Amino acid sequence: MFDNFEKETGIKVIEDIYSSNEEMFAKLKAGGKGYDIVTPSTDYVEILMNENMLEKLDKSKLPTFDNIDPMVLEKIQYFDKDNSYAVPYIMGSTGIAVNTKYVKDYPRDYTIYERTDLAGRMTLLDDMREVLTSALGTLGYSQTIEDETAIAQASDLVKKWKKNIAKLILNLLVKDLQMEIFG
């Protein structure tokens, strides 16, 4: 996978893949060394910054940095004001898929998880950040709010959703279903 890069630069690439941000953080915190690049999600970039576990970027060595859409850079400036520590790697969104063959009428938002008639027939991502920020948004709060009352309300909402969830999932691959996806 890295053959061309290694031939061009003479640099040997060693890649470690972790099952979660938490696993990667634990290895680094325990003294894991030798990493030139780590690719955590934004919440863990902030944690690594606050723990002084990251060096500032030398943007002079990133010739394509100026090609990054300012809107994308702005997404991480709530914790990395000058984009000094992080460069966006990938951007995506989380959505909800509904099998319209079986569910005809439903809300097009996360309140679908409150539907007791669908209890035991829904899944939810096994990702604390995704689920909690979705609950915050459902309650009208910013995803970056630090207010303990708002976070407690979102936590209570997630507990309400959990009663209707059949299982938590890491990834969902849907094939050959009539679906509507919203997010």
Side-chain angles (χ1 to χ4, degrees), residues 43-58:
D43 53 333
Y44 268 81
V45 172
E46 184 175 14
I47 291 168
L48 292 166
M49 283 174 50
N50 291 337
E51 294 282 326
N52 295 315
M53 296 170 69
L54 297 177
E55 292 182 25
K56 283 191 172 185
L57 296 169
D58 181 350

Side-chain angles (χ1 to χ4, degrees), residues 11-12 33-38:
I11 298 169
K12 172 77 175 143
K33 296 184 188 293
Y35 293 98
D36 295 316
I37 300 172
V38 293

Side-chain angles (χ1 to χ4, degrees), residues 76-91:
I76 59 175
Q77 288 175 352
Y78 70 92
F79 67 87
D80 185 8
K81 185 177 179 183
D82 299 317
N83 299 111
S84 297
Y85 293 92
V87 175
Y89 166 67
I90 194 167
M91 226 174 130

Side-chain angles (χ1 to χ4, degrees), residues 2-178:
F2 301 109
D3 294 343
N4 290 341
F5 176 83
E6 290 177 350
K7 285 177 190 172
E8 288 178 28
T9 65
I11 298 169
K12 172 77 175 143
V13 175
I14 299 171
E15 179 181 37
D16 289 333
I17 298 174
Y18 299 101
S19 63
S20 67
N21 282 308
E22 293 81 4
E23 182 184 348
M24 177 211 57
F25 179 76
K27 177 159 184 179
L28 294 174
K29 192 70 175 169
K33 296 184 188 293
Y35 293 98
D36 295 316
I37 300 172
V38 293
T39 313
S41 58
T42 54
D43 53 333
Y44 268 81
V45 172
E46 184 175 14
I47 291 168
L48 292 166
M49 283 174 50
N50 291 337
E51 294 282 326
N52 295 315
M53 296 170 69
L54 297 177
E55 292 182 25
K56 283 191 172 185
L57 296 169
D58 181 350
K59 293 179 190 169
S60 71
K61 294 181 179 178
L62 302 172
T64 59
F65 185 85
D66 291 336
N67 297 337
I68 301 172
D69 186 323
M71 182 273 304
V72 175
L73 290 172
E74 186 180 316
K75 297 286 184 190
I76 59 175
Q77 288 175 352
Y78 70 92
F79 67 87
D80 185 8
K81 185 177 179 183
D82 299 317
N83 299 111
S84 297
Y85 293 92
V87 175
Y89 166 67
I90 194 167
M91 226 174 130
S93 65
T94 301
I96 300 172
V98 176
N99 187 334
T100 57
K101 180 178 176 184
Y102 299 103
V103 182
K104 303 294 181 198
D105 184 39
Y106 52 90
R108 268 91 173 142
D109 59 35
Y110 279 84
T111 63
I112 193 169
Y113 290 110
E114 297 173 27
R115 293 221 2 213
T116 56
D117 62 311
L118 298 175
R121 297 172 42 209
M122 297 183 286
T123 59
L124 192 61
L125 284 176
D126 187 8
D127 184 307
M128 176 184 64
R129 181 179 63 126
E130 288 283 345
V131 174
L132 189 62
T133 57
S134 297
L136 286 166
T138 299
L139 294 170
Y141 295 116
S142 164
Q143 294 181 345
T144 58
I145 194 166
E146 295 182 15
D147 178 74
E148 289 183 26
T149 302
I151 293 169
Q153 289 172 348
S155 176
D156 290 343
L157 181 58
V158 171
K159 290 173 188 170
K160 185 177 179 181
W161 293 348
K162 186 179 176 189
K163 293 176 185 176
N164 294 327
I165 301 301
K167 64 181 175 178
L168 297 172
I169 58 169
L170 293 176
N171 285 313
L172 178 63
L173 177 61
V174 180
K175 184 178 178 186
D176 298 328
L177 294 176
Q178 178 185 356

